[in-house]
Amino acid sequence: CNSVMKNSFYDKVHVFNVAATSSSTTFRIDVPNRNKGGGRVEEVVQQNEEAVVQSVEETVDNDDQYIVKGVPIDSLHIPTDRPIVLKLDVEGHELQALLGGMDFLRRADIVYAMTELRPTFQTDDKTFSAWKDIMSILSSKNLQPYRIDYGNETKLDVHRLHQWKHVKHPAVRYFDVVWRKEG
């Protein structure tokens, strides 16, 4: 991870080269060369390795594709003997990642979490339900959400969802929400 190397966090951060999910599986990640942060994730459903290799070779022009093993966070046996900072930027797979780590989440002292919010969760029933579950999980850890708008923070209420949009630019599709431990 470039940010770990750049900031010399070698002794403070453990990077796992896997995707967090609720059950073991394999994913294909398409990373557009023009937008490294805008990856698309698909579960690989082929049953034989030859089909997986073939699907990787069928890349979209100007995109890179990677095959990544998906595992539950609980299977990684992450230590919980220190405060935890959690970054959850998994292209719409947030709930599955959290569900695969419920034991870890129960034991961990999470002091800060970052999520990338898609405001469309307010209009899509499936996404809305997932975000309500995500809010419930993070709130149960005594974490309070804040919307980040150009360096300013707005405290959000998990029961007042109309706040959960970008104030200056409502058409913005993604923005950051941080969750800080209260008390």
Side-chain angles (χ1 to χ4, degrees):
C1 181
N2 289 337
S3 60
V4 171
M5 293 168 45
K6 181 179 178 180
N7 293 295
S8 299
F9 288 158
Y10 308 108
D11 62 336
K12 296 175 178 56
V13 174
H14 189 98
V15 177
F16 294 94
N17 194 22
V18 295
T21 189
S22 56
S23 61
S24 294
T25 190
T26 303
F27 294 102
R28 183 183 78 206
I29 302 175
D30 298 322
V31 181
N33 287 333
R34 66 193 179 283
N35 179 8
K36 294 289 185 197
R40 294 176 302 279
V41 179
E42 274 185 52
E43 186 171 0
V44 175
V45 293
Q46 292 93 341
Q47 295 302 313
N48 64 50
E49 203 169 301
E50 187 176 306
V52 172
V53 171
Q54 183 180 357
S55 73
V56 172
E57 291 172 354
E58 297 169 0
T59 59
V60 178
D61 288 341
N62 300 320
D63 287 0
D64 291 326
Q65 291 188 346
Y66 304 92
I67 297 295
V68 178
K69 182 178 179 182
V71 299
I73 292 170
D74 286 340
S75 71
L76 300 173
H77 307 290
I78 300 170
T80 57
D81 60 345
R82 62 192 73 149
I84 303 289
V85 173
L86 177 69
K87 181 177 181 186
L88 196 59
D89 183 0
V90 290
E91 306 304 324
H93 202 71
E94 293 83 1
L95 181 58
Q96 292 85 355
L98 290 173
L99 291 175
M102 293 305 289
D103 184 53
F104 165 76
L105 292 169
R106 273 189 284 284
R107 293 180 295 110
D109 177 21
I110 299 174
V111 295
Y112 190 88
M114 190 286 263
T115 57
E116 185 178 71
L117 180 68
R118 292 162 178 78
T120 54
F121 80 88
Q122 295 180 9
T123 56
D124 173 355
D125 288 340
K126 181 179 176 186
T127 310
F128 176 77
S129 177
W131 271 100
K132 285 193 67 134
D133 291 344
I134 292 165
M135 290 174 197
S136 176
I137 291 167
L138 295 175
S139 296
S140 75
K141 295 299 296 178
N142 205 24
L143 295 167
Q144 172 64 49
Y146 293 83
R147 182 184 58 241
I148 305 299
D149 296 318
Y150 302 104
N152 297 317
E153 293 184 355
T154 303
K155 190 172 186 175
L156 298 171
D157 183 338
V158 295
H159 303 292
R160 298 180 63 208
L161 297 180
H162 67 279
Q163 295 177 329
W164 292 67
K165 61 183 176 182
H166 196 288
V167 174
K168 294 181 182 178
H169 303 286
V172 170
R173 294 184 60 197
Y174 309 101
F175 58 93
D176 293 331
V177 174
V178 297
W179 298 74
R180 283 198 305 265
K181 189 162 201 159
E182 298 280 306

